[in-house]
Amino acid sequence: VLTKLDPTSHWLAGQVAGIHLFTLAGGMTIGAAAVLLYHAIGRIAGVSGIFFTGMKEGGLWRWLFLGGIVVGAGLGAYLFPSLNIVSRPNPSIWILTVSRRLVGWGTRQGGGCTSGHGVCGLGRLAPRSLVAVLVFMAAGIFTASLLRHWLGVPA
Amino acid sequence: MKSNLSALAAGLLFGLGLMLSGMSNPGEVLSFLDWTGEWSPDLIGVLGSAVLVSLVGFQLARRKDKPWFEAEFPALPKKSIDRPLLFVFPTEVRNKGHFPSDQAATKLIWLALRNIAEKWKNPPISRHAAKAQPAIQFEERFMLSE
């Protein structure tokens, strides 16, 4: 049994070892940002929800937070140019139009996105968020694999 | 002022983290989602390390009765699993379709109230309080004999 499992465990070890240190540092920075927002003003750092409520009700802090994300990412790209790798897939306008609508609708339906459910919800130990993360990850994996491999859509 | 500044700081930190972790690169996210290509576990690493930090942070926050720069914690999103999370069509939209107007919905509630009122065993005082409201709204339906 062990010999059968070996290639898999080697592959897994390789994948884990291959995780860049910056990947973990970046993740911890994201977590710290969510914790900061909660400790400072008691808000959940759910990007889709903040954007949605910001569109509906406004609120300066919401737009400062959202603008900060854009500026912060730009600042990071400026400070660490070697990390600024963008291997952008080149989807057609149809794929973009349909998918962004699905993302917007889905995050409202599910009440959160990767940041709200993933980072904050899991941190708050919310069963709702665990379900949401598992469902949208599974759906994402299924869709990406289906479109790109089996249907050969260049997305 | 301090609230807005801290929101900006949190946003900057969030963006920096996204960029450092490589998650600002759509190709990187895709390399996790697409299992048929060159797979990379980086997204799990990012989410995992972020959750690790937020887990500690949110648990520490439970001991506080208010945030630093606000008078109190706002109502938090619920944690329980409900229908809209799992099902494609939200319940409220589906129910809204059956009622042409708000008044129609109120009428239905009033009729249902009349039906259950006959079986009520509560003291009359609560019954009257509940009945008073539709009596104002649908004045013409209350006859003197009732």
Side-chain angles (χ1 to χ4, degrees):
Chain A
V1 178
L2 265 179
T3 42
K4 269 188 181 175
L5 277 178
D6 250 354
T8 317
S9 60
H10 284 171
W11 174 82
L12 201 65
Q15 289 291 346
V16 172
I19 295 180
H20 206 282
L21 204 62
F22 277 106
T23 306
L24 299 179
M28 292 174 90
T29 313
I30 294 173
V35 170
L36 171 67
L37 194 72
Y38 189 68
H39 276 251
I41 62 173
R43 297 288 183 164
I44 299 290
V47 177
S48 65
I50 289 178
F51 180 77
F52 185 73
T53 321
M55 294 287 273
K56 247 178 34 180
E57 298 169 16
L60 183 59
W61 74 267
R62 294 197 174 91
W63 294 108
L64 284 171
F65 177 75
L66 295 172
I69 294 177
V70 178
V71 176
L75 207 66
Y78 178 75
L79 291 175
F80 305 94
S82 62
L83 287 178
N84 189 22
I85 308 159
V86 177
S87 52
R88 190 194 298 276
N90 202 9
S92 69
I93 190 79
W94 288 107
I95 297 268
L96 275 180
T97 311
V98 172
S99 56
R100 73 178 171 212
R101 270 163 197 270
L102 287 175
V103 167
W105 184 72
T107 51
R108 283 308 83 215
Q109 173 81 11
C113 56
T114 331
S115 57
H117 274 314
V119 178
C120 297
L122 292 184
R124 289 172 62 216
L125 300 174
R128 180 181 174 74
S129 297
L130 183 64
V131 170
V133 171
L134 291 178
V135 169
F136 67 59
M137 283 301 179
I141 288 164
F142 176 75
T143 312
S145 306
L146 180 83
L147 282 182
R148 283 162 64 89
H149 186 70
W150 293 311
L151 297 182
V153 177
Chain B
M1 185 63 196
K2 279 180 180 169
S3 295
N4 286 333
L5 277 182
S6 49
L8 178 66
L12 287 171
L13 211 57
F14 199 104
L16 187 70
L18 272 183
M19 199 271 144
L20 285 183
S21 63
M23 291 303 135
S24 56
N25 176 5
E28 184 69 58
V29 180
L30 208 52
S31 70
F32 169 78
L33 292 179
D34 183 4
W35 282 18
T36 61
E38 186 81 12
W39 188 73
S40 121
D42 281 13
L43 198 142
I44 295 179
V46 175
L47 196 57
S49 51
V51 168
L52 211 65
V53 173
S54 79
L55 197 66
V56 175
F58 278 104
Q59 297 314 307
L60 284 177
R62 290 175 70 168
R63 295 184 197 161
K64 297 163 47 138
D65 19 297
K66 68 181 204 62
W68 294 329
F69 308 128
E70 294 287 329
E72 56 180 2
F73 281 106
L76 287 176
K78 61 179 166 188
K79 291 183 173 181
S80 59
I81 300 156
D82 62 5
R83 285 180 65 92
L85 179 73
L86 294 176
F87 291 87
V88 174
F89 297 106
T91 333
E92 62 268 30
V93 169
R94 205 166 28 187
N95 286 343
K96 253 184 216 161
H98 294 299
F99 298 107
S101 67
D102 280 357
Q103 212 197 4
T106 321
K107 276 180 184 167
L108 184 81
I109 292 169
W110 152 236
L111 287 172
L113 191 68
R114 246 171 46 147
N115 283 342
I116 57 170
E118 288 166 12
K119 296 170 193 160
W120 271 352
K121 293 187 181 76
N122 288 349
I125 186 156
S126 61
R127 199 182 317 169
H128 289 315
K131 270 189 130 179
Q133 193 57 35
I136 297 166
Q137 283 194 29
F138 307 111
E139 194 184 4
E140 73 284 356
R141 297 200 177 204
F142 281 80
M143 281 155 285
L144 280 174
S145 58
E146 251 189 51

